[in-house]
Amino acid sequence: MNFRRILAGAAAASAVLALTACSSDAGDADATATDEAEAGTVRMWVMEGSLSEESQQYLADEFAEENPGSELKIEVQQWDGIVSKLQTSLASKNESPDLVEIGNTQTTTFTTVGAFADVTDMKKALGGDDLIDSFVDASTVDGKIYAYPFYAGARGVYYRTDLFEKAGIEVPQTIDDFTDAVIDLQAKNPDAVDDFSGMYLAAVDPHGVESYLFAQGFEYAKKDGDTWVGQASSKTSLAALENLQELFQSGTTYGLDSQAGQKSFERYFNENKTGVLIGTGNIGTKIDQALWDEDKVGVFAIPSDEPGVPGATFAGGSNIGLATNSQNPALAKKALETIFGEGFQARLAEEGWVPGNTAYGDAVSGPFGEIAGEIVANSKLTPNSPEWGVAFGSTQLNEFFTRIAKGEDVAAVAKAFDEQLDTALNK
């Protein structure tokens, strides 16, 4: 079996059967959580930036307490190159982790090729109808569920209230007002800071950029029958990209920031070098507490073109699946019960994530928690195609947005990107 070749044709139903047939352990993964689980070690892959060290330790301790003699070993993975790593590891009976956090844009790619075990029978025990619907849908193939929502990263706006006040800028009510406010803030630079940026916006932060674009109606692609058709050069999407280029040129100094710089972009906010961030709820926990205490931080949903109505933003977040090649499937299901238990779900919320079980969403801390539910309700995902997770990782999107940030002709860049989309999504 060639797992990489299977992924290239991920949409084919035969691929699901091929991977399942090739795994002698696939039947073992059907063990229910109530089956007797032998003591052992469950390997769980989580992505960089998902869980704090404190939450990782909490989860490991809870699992050990609930399953004496067993261990939950959490291994942190990098987002860069994760698809290739999963292609190799999940296909191996010896190397496969037991539980895997997988980004929601990659979920369809792996659930459609048999990489994860059928865990439909666990839905009620893990949260039932309180689980994030769109994430469950993305993990469902032919009526069977292969992963469950780990957390959602609602994206909103953090802004420096003191800088807005000094610059005489009101909280924007529409997406056009937002664009104008950011550009105005950079021009006025109220504290006369060297290299001040109205907002942090970088081509290497595709989900932040997408949130700005989606609020204006931008679409990557739409389905026409069975065919995906690129939409980057449509009238609405092109207008959004032109506004994006204007922001890159006049509203931010970080358009070409490095990936290393983007990973801790909140520091620019803390250091008074920028006045606006687009970020998930957990970013609020990384903003200096002194700024919160001095009432210098405000939050609002990215607006749409209709005053007072939130715009659509990228619904960041992850699902978690039980690998078909798990060596400890029954024990891994016990770990899923710990993950979806009230204690850990509340911890996710306290760290700023919308937990997979929305019944515990009220625990989302701070002012961001007051708008998180509304943001998630108005959010959208990238095209729900198995090929998206393979063909459009961070590299391709970074290149697309970098060309916009560098000032290339927007229409030409969009047309070329549509051609990429048409080819890749219709394999």
Side-chain angles (χ1 to χ4, degrees), residues 170-183:
E170 300 290 333
V171 175
Q173 297 300 305
T174 67
I175 190 65
D176 286 341
D177 290 344
F178 177 77
T179 303
D180 292 343
V182 167
I183 293 173

Side-chain angles (χ1 to χ4, degrees), residues 48-50 79 104 135 151-158 205 207-208 211 262-263 265-266 277-287 292 297-300 302 313-318 348-354 364-365 367-369 371-372 375-376 379:
E48 180 187 31
S50 294
W79 283 109
N104 55 18
F135 283 35
Y151 61 83
R155 278 175 169 76
V157 177
Y158 296 90
D205 179 20
H207 297 330
S211 293
Q262 189 276 328
K263 287 181 179 179
F265 72 108
E266 69 281 347
L277 301 177
I278 291 177
T280 50
N282 69 316
I283 294 301
T285 66
K286 299 178 182 181
I287 292 175
W292 288 107
V297 184
V299 298
F300 60 85
I302 298 176
T313 57
F314 175 77
S318 295
L348 284 173
E350 289 166 4
E351 291 195 355
W353 300 116
V354 176
V364 177
S365 57
F368 198 92
I371 62 174
I375 292 173
V376 169
S379 63

Side-chain angles (χ1 to χ4, degrees), residues 313-332:
T313 57
F314 175 77
S318 295
N319 291 293
I320 185 163
L322 169 59
T324 299
N325 280 327
S326 167
Q327 297 185 36
N328 296 291
L331 194 58

Side-chain angles (χ1 to χ4, degrees), residues 118-325:
D118 177 1
V119 285
T120 309
D121 62 331
M122 295 195 72
K123 182 177 181 181
K124 183 176 181 180
L126 301 186
D129 291 340
D130 287 324
L131 297 168
I132 300 173
D133 284 340
S134 60
F135 283 35
V136 174
D137 289 344
S139 304
T140 301
V141 179
D142 294 332
K144 296 180 179 180
I145 303 172
Y146 292 90
Y148 285 101
F150 196 20
Y151 61 83
R155 278 175 169 76
V157 177
Y158 296 90
Y159 73 103
R160 287 284 300 270
T161 57
D162 56 325
L163 297 182
F164 269 52
E165 183 176 351
K166 291 176 184 177
I169 299 173
E170 300 290 333
V171 175
Q173 297 300 305
T174 67
I175 190 65
D176 286 341
D177 290 344
F178 177 77
T179 303
D180 292 343
V182 167
I183 293 173
D184 193 22
L185 183 63
Q186 179 160 312
K188 290 183 176 177
N189 185 8
D191 283 349
V193 175
D194 289 342
D195 299 320
F196 179 74
S197 181
M199 75 177 294
Y200 182 90
L201 190 68
V204 293
D205 179 20
H207 297 330
V209 174
E210 286 166 346
S211 293
Y212 173 72
L213 292 174
F214 287 172
Q216 300 173 73
F218 176 89
E219 294 280 358
Y220 281 117
K222 288 184 177 180
K223 246 189 170 180
D224 183 5
D226 293 330
T227 303
W228 285 98
V229 180
Q231 296 293 305
S233 59
S234 68
K235 182 179 179 180
T236 299
S237 293
L238 199 59
L241 289 172
E242 289 170 346
N243 288 337
L244 172 65
Q245 188 169 75
E246 184 180 12
L247 267 191
F248 275 139
Q249 293 175 341
S250 304
T252 185
T253 61
Y254 296 106
L256 300 177
D257 198 15
S258 66
Q259 289 185 330
Q262 189 276 328
K263 287 181 179 179
S264 56
F265 72 108
E266 69 281 347
R267 75 179 187 277
Y268 303 123
F269 192 86
N270 292 333
E271 294 170 357
N272 209 37
K273 292 181 178 179
T274 190
V276 177
L277 301 177
I278 291 177
T280 50
N282 69 316
I283 294 301
T285 66
K286 299 178 182 181
I287 292 175
D288 282 349
Q289 187 59 44
L291 292 175
W292 288 107
D293 293 342
E294 295 167 7
D295 200 25
K296 292 183 177 179
V297 184
V299 298
F300 60 85
I302 298 176
S304 66
D305 57 4
E306 185 177 346
V309 178
T313 57
F314 175 77
S318 295
N319 291 293
I320 185 163
L322 169 59
T324 299
N325 280 327

Side-chain angles (χ1 to χ4, degrees), residues 16-54:
V16 180
L17 299 176
L19 181 57
T20 304
C22 288
S23 173
S24 60
D25 294 331
D28 295 338
D30 290 333
T32 65
T34 56
D35 288 343
E36 191 66 28
E38 295 184 5
T41 298
V42 173
R43 292 176 59 214
M44 176 181 173
W45 281 12
V46 300
M47 302 308 299
E48 180 187 31
S50 294
L51 303 181
S52 67
E53 292 184 4
E54 293 78 11

